[in-house]
Amino acid sequence: MKRRLVGAVVIGIALAACAGQAAPLTLEQRVPGAEGAPGSEPDPVETQLIMSGLDEFEAEILVDVPDVTDEDLQALEDAGFVAAIRDTRFYPSAPGAAHAPDAVHLFTLVLQFESEDGARQMLEVMHAFNLMTCPDTCAFSSAAFEVDGTPDALGAQQIATQESLDEVGESGEPQAIYAIDFADGPFLYDLALSGPPDEVSETEIERIAREHHDRVAGAPPAESD
């Protein structure tokens, strides 16, 4: 009887441990969908893109980013970059309305590394990149902000007002970008909400990041990744 009781306890502990483990998630499952960003739809122009290896990531994403340096590429390589997914969603001005470039957008970039250390190593690098304004004259000003509700997350905002646009002689409309980065396991998540200043907020990107973190936290890579 004692032997069976001990066995039952051991099995119970094992089952409880398994129940507490998060299920594996593919890269496609690591970006916010309609549930995480209510009212949004997949962007028909900037469609979802999955990249394997640093060469493909550089060719598809980094080639159009003027601020990326050889040091940044080396940092990604040293951190053990494996793969990435880019996903973009937009918020129609009304239900069923067509996509518009000036609509509110949610940009998501998820980077996968060989280890948890690699993801955490790149967290500060991504945050610093989100704080960078244009390399020359630019209407955007940037600042870091404390993130509420997402453990060890880093927040960055960039804002261009009508006044700052006029001061530097740039065309376009006022815009605000609120970005939050967090690392979990071997993954680094970069979420950015962009749009007119009166339509996006730090509070909203915090909500999106908090709910997304709760959904993906602890989920190991899927075998297909």
Side-chain angles (χ1 to χ4, degrees), residues 92-170:
S93 56
H99 173 265
D102 59 350
V104 174
H105 283 74
L106 174 63
F107 300 97
T108 303
L109 183 64
V110 182
L111 307 181
Q112 180 180 355
F113 296 89
E114 295 175 354
S115 67
E116 179 177 341
D117 288 343
R120 295 196 175 279
Q121 181 179 329
M122 290 304 299
L123 177 61
E124 290 282 355
V125 175
M126 183 68 78
H127 177 60
F129 183 80
N130 285 333
L131 287 171
M132 295 176 67
T133 55
C134 303
D136 299 315
T137 302
C138 184
F140 282 92
S141 61
S142 67
F145 65 85
E146 294 291 330
V147 178
D148 183 32
T150 303
D152 301 319
L154 302 176
Q157 69 175 36
Q158 292 199 31
I159 298 177
T161 64
Q162 187 61 59
E163 181 180 6
S164 64
L165 287 166
D166 293 341
E167 284 180 356
V168 299
E170 289 189 10

Side-chain angles (χ1 to χ4, degrees), residues 13-218:
I13 293 174
L15 289 174
C18 290
Q21 291 178 349
L25 294 176
T26 64
L27 283 173
E28 294 94 327
Q29 293 172 318
R30 294 180 184 275
V31 298
E35 291 184 2
S40 69
E41 297 181 7
D43 194 296
V45 179
E46 294 189 53
T47 55
Q48 191 175 99
L49 181 63
I50 298 176
M51 296 141 283
S52 298
L54 188 54
D55 288 343
E56 189 172 345
F57 182 64
E58 180 182 5
E60 294 287 356
I61 300 293
L62 301 183
V63 68
D64 295 323
V65 183
D67 293 332
V68 173
T69 65
D70 290 339
E71 288 76 13
D72 295 326
L73 294 174
Q74 187 62 52
L76 282 167
E77 183 176 353
D78 293 344
F81 178 87
V82 174
I85 183 170
R86 182 199 68 189
D87 185 81
T88 306
R89 301 185 67 85
F90 80 101
Y91 293 77
S93 56
H99 173 265
D102 59 350
V104 174
H105 283 74
L106 174 63
F107 300 97
T108 303
L109 183 64
V110 182
L111 307 181
Q112 180 180 355
F113 296 89
E114 295 175 354
S115 67
E116 179 177 341
D117 288 343
R120 295 196 175 279
Q121 181 179 329
M122 290 304 299
L123 177 61
E124 290 282 355
V125 175
M126 183 68 78
H127 177 60
F129 183 80
N130 285 333
L131 287 171
M132 295 176 67
T133 55
C134 303
D136 299 315
T137 302
C138 184
F140 282 92
S141 61
S142 67
F145 65 85
E146 294 291 330
V147 178
D148 183 32
T150 303
D152 301 319
L154 302 176
Q157 69 175 36
Q158 292 199 31
I159 298 177
T161 64
Q162 187 61 59
E163 181 180 6
S164 64
L165 287 166
D166 293 341
E167 284 180 356
V168 299
E170 289 189 10
S171 59
E173 299 294 326
Q175 184 181 18
I177 305 170
Y178 295 94
I180 290 179
D181 295 295
F182 67 88
D184 182 77
F187 296 93
L188 174 60
Y189 297 83
D190 176 69
L191 307 169
L193 195 64
S194 172
D198 59 344
E199 296 184 34
V200 295
S201 68
E202 179 183 321
T203 300
E204 179 60 11
I205 190 61
E206 283 182 329
R207 181 198 66 78
I208 293 172
R210 179 174 62 252
E211 294 181 2
H212 192 61
H213 173 272
D214 291 345
R215 185 174 71 82
V216 302

